[in-house]
Amino acid sequence: MPLYHQLGEIPPKRHTIFRKPNGELYYEQLFGTIGFDGMSTNMYHEHRPTQVKKILGQYSVAPKIAKANNIQSYRLKGFQVKPEEDFLKSRKAVLTNSDCTIVLSAPLKSTNEYFYKNTDSDELIFIHRGTGTLRTMLGNLTFKYGDYLLIPRGVIYKIDFDTEDNRLFIVESRRPIYTPKRYRNWFGQLLEHSPFCERDIRRPSHLETYDEKGDFLIKVRKQDEIFDMVYATHPFDVVGYDGYNYPYAFSIHDFEPITGRVHQPPPVHQTFETDAFVICSFVPRLYDYHPDAIPAPYNHSNIDSDEVLYYVDGDFMSRNDIEAGHISLHPAGIPHGPHPGAAERSIGKKSTEELAVMVDTFKPLMLTEEAMEIADEQYYQSWLDPEI
């Protein structure tokens, strides 16, 4: 999100002397993306952020592929993923390609024993169930049902959950995640036709600063491996920063839908983008108001992209037998559309209360072993007329 943010204490100029009250220097760190060409933040630490005491070991978290070449439509029953105490162990990759991985997670506990850093991917965490606080080296964000948490790659964080009933839908992106460029002017400001604006973006507050030495375990993800690294100083020792590269929160409930006289295509729901996939929000909205409109989506072919829809809440007008937590996968190359009877049922309807998150990828998605454990193998036949 191209939005300048400052938190804590910083010097008047970059790369200049900035001293502690005792006269020692604070340690500056440039936290940037795309070499020195992307968004960046300048942080100031109590201690050098480079002090690694031990590397204890590593283990793979690469998705285990069950179907690498797939043309079958699937329904995955997401709430069948069993809760687990540990946050990282609870993350179950269900769909993946070289650009992104889609993960379901039901963690029972907060991340108390370690810090976590993903150097492979930006993480977009959608909160389906649960409340709590995302704690990071760049400040904290409280979260609740319906929030997207955007965590740029390299951010060190913990998550504190208020209860054990937590359900997360996570997109790990190997490309930076941005707000759609068509919503922004050449200065980066969100335009009047954008379905959200800067007021809806919640930036970090309450910067935790610890001046502590010891043994601090950080689990670092790199190339689908987790490395257990022990740092000599507390990772949350930043006294201040400014820049454009930081975590933020956006609620799906603050997305203002774009509607029309006839059915609008999925891009009107777009919320985030990369150069490899897009993420959309389907929210409660008025239906099309042409007198002869059919509010249900028309049949369409995904020639260039796989379509993933994560059903959150409400009435899913275009689908039969869909519940909260389900995921539908419609792969590129075959048409899909409303289930039998859905178009007819939609005629005359004035509004919908549906809530869903969609991910459209421009490379095919592979199904994992975890996905096949919760898959409905007959879903692809659900468009057949009853007499067939």
Side-chain angles (χ1 to χ4, degrees):
M1 176 68 193
L3 190 64
Y4 177 82
H5 183 48
Q6 177 186 334
L7 196 59
E9 300 297 322
I10 61 174
K13 297 284 287 184
R14 292 180 291 183
H15 322 317
T16 60
I17 294 171
F18 184 31
R19 295 191 184 278
K20 304 177 185 180
N22 66 4
E24 296 177 357
L25 286 175
Y26 288 111
Y27 295 93
E28 183 181 16
Q29 178 190 359
L30 178 67
F31 179 63
T33 60
I34 317 178
F36 290 86
D37 194 46
M39 293 189 291
S40 65
T41 283
N42 271 83
M43 296 182 284
Y44 297 87
H45 296 264
E46 290 277 4
H47 302 277
R48 289 188 303 277
T50 52
Q51 299 183 71
V52 179
K53 295 177 74 172
K54 298 176 184 177
I55 301 177
L56 300 177
Q58 67 190 81
Y59 56 92
S60 174
V61 288
K64 296 178 181 179
I65 306 304
K67 293 190 72 173
N69 189 1
N70 174 61
I71 202 168
Q72 180 175 330
S73 295
Y74 276 94
R75 175 176 58 170
L76 309 180
K77 298 181 178 181
F79 281 6
Q80 289 185 4
V81 169
K82 295 180 181 179
E84 294 198 35
E85 290 198 0
D86 183 75
F87 172 64
L88 291 183
K89 290 181 181 178
S90 76
R91 295 166 66 130
K92 309 301 181 184
V94 292
L95 300 166
T96 189
N97 62 25
S98 60
D99 297 318
C100 68
T101 297
I102 295 173
V103 176
L104 295 173
S105 176
L108 293 169
K109 302 292 185 182
S110 303
T111 48
N112 294 320
E113 305 301 322
Y114 57 85
F115 301 83
Y116 178 57
K117 175 167 68 172
N118 190 337
T119 68
D120 286 338
S121 304
D122 287 12
E123 294 186 356
L124 186 68
I125 301 178
F126 178 79
I127 308 297
H128 194 164
R129 287 186 182 172
T131 61
T133 302
L134 172 67
R135 299 169 54 206
T136 84
M137 64 189 187
L138 296 171
N140 297 345
L141 289 159
T142 60
F143 61 80
K144 59 186 181 301
Y145 164 62
D147 279 344
Y148 292 104
L149 301 175
L150 194 286
I151 308 173
R153 67 201 65 201
V155 169
I156 301 171
Y157 73 87
K158 289 188 170 191
I159 293 189
D160 289 349
F161 296 104
D162 295 331
T163 69
E164 293 188 348
D165 184 18
N166 305 296
R167 290 281 175 176
L168 313 176
F169 175 79
I170 304 172
V171 181
E172 299 173 348
S173 173
R174 292 160 188 83
R175 312 295 186 94
I177 298 176
Y178 303 120
T179 52
K181 54 183 173 292
R182 73 173 184 277
Y183 295 162
R184 294 184 259 116
N185 63 21
W186 57 92
F187 299 109
Q189 183 179 10
L190 289 165
L191 292 161
E192 287 296 301
H193 70 274
S194 172
F196 53 90
C197 74
E198 287 81 0
R199 298 180 189 182
D200 300 316
I201 304 298
R202 306 199 317 268
R203 290 170 280 176
S205 61
H206 183 53
L207 185 63
E208 296 185 52
T209 304
Y210 297 91
D211 184 2
E212 296 180 13
K213 297 179 180 179
D215 294 327
F216 300 92
L217 177 61
I218 305 180
K219 290 183 174 288
V220 180
R221 179 166 180 162
K222 183 175 177 60
Q223 294 180 297
D224 285 336
E225 300 266 325
I226 296 288
F227 295 83
D228 288 339
M229 304 184 71
V230 178
Y231 273 71
T233 59
H234 199 293
F236 295 173
D237 72 339
V238 176
V239 298
Y241 69 89
D242 75 330
Y244 290 76
N245 193 29
Y246 52 83
Y248 65 86
F250 171 71
S251 174
I252 195 171
H253 304 299
D254 287 329
F255 187 91
E256 300 299 334
I258 298 170
T259 60
R261 272 171 53 86
V262 295
H263 189 82
Q264 299 297 294
V268 301
H269 306 286
Q270 188 176 345
T271 314
F272 303 97
E273 73 176 11
T274 74
D275 61 0
F277 64 92
V278 299
I279 297 170
C280 300
S281 301
F282 289 80
V283 301
R285 62 195 183 276
L286 296 178
Y287 272 147
D288 323 316
Y289 50 90
H290 188 286
D292 293 327
I294 299 178
Y298 37 77
N299 297 305
H300 55 285
S301 294
N302 291 351
I303 299 300
D304 297 317
S305 65
D306 282 12
E307 179 190 283
V308 174
L309 205 59
Y310 178 73
Y311 299 90
V312 179
D313 206 351
D315 178 21
F316 309 118
M317 168 269 296
S318 64
R319 292 282 170 268
N320 301 334
D321 191 26
I322 286 289
E323 299 176 6
H326 285 187
I327 295 176
S328 60
L329 168 66
H330 301 135
I334 59 172
H336 74 278
H339 273 144
E344 291 81 0
R345 289 195 306 268
S346 75
I347 296 172
K349 299 291 185 182
K350 300 300 182 184
S351 64
T352 177
E353 295 300 314
E354 69 183 4
L355 204 63
V357 177
M358 187 173 76
V359 183
D360 279 4
T361 66
F362 304 132
K363 290 180 183 176
L365 288 161
M366 298 176 285
L367 289 103
T368 69
E369 294 177 4
E370 301 279 3
M372 300 310 295
E373 291 181 5
I374 58 173
D376 176 359
E377 294 270 12
Q378 281 71 51
Y379 175 74
Y380 76 97
Q381 297 175 325
S382 59
W383 285 270
L384 291 172
D385 288 331
E387 64 274 12
I388 295 179

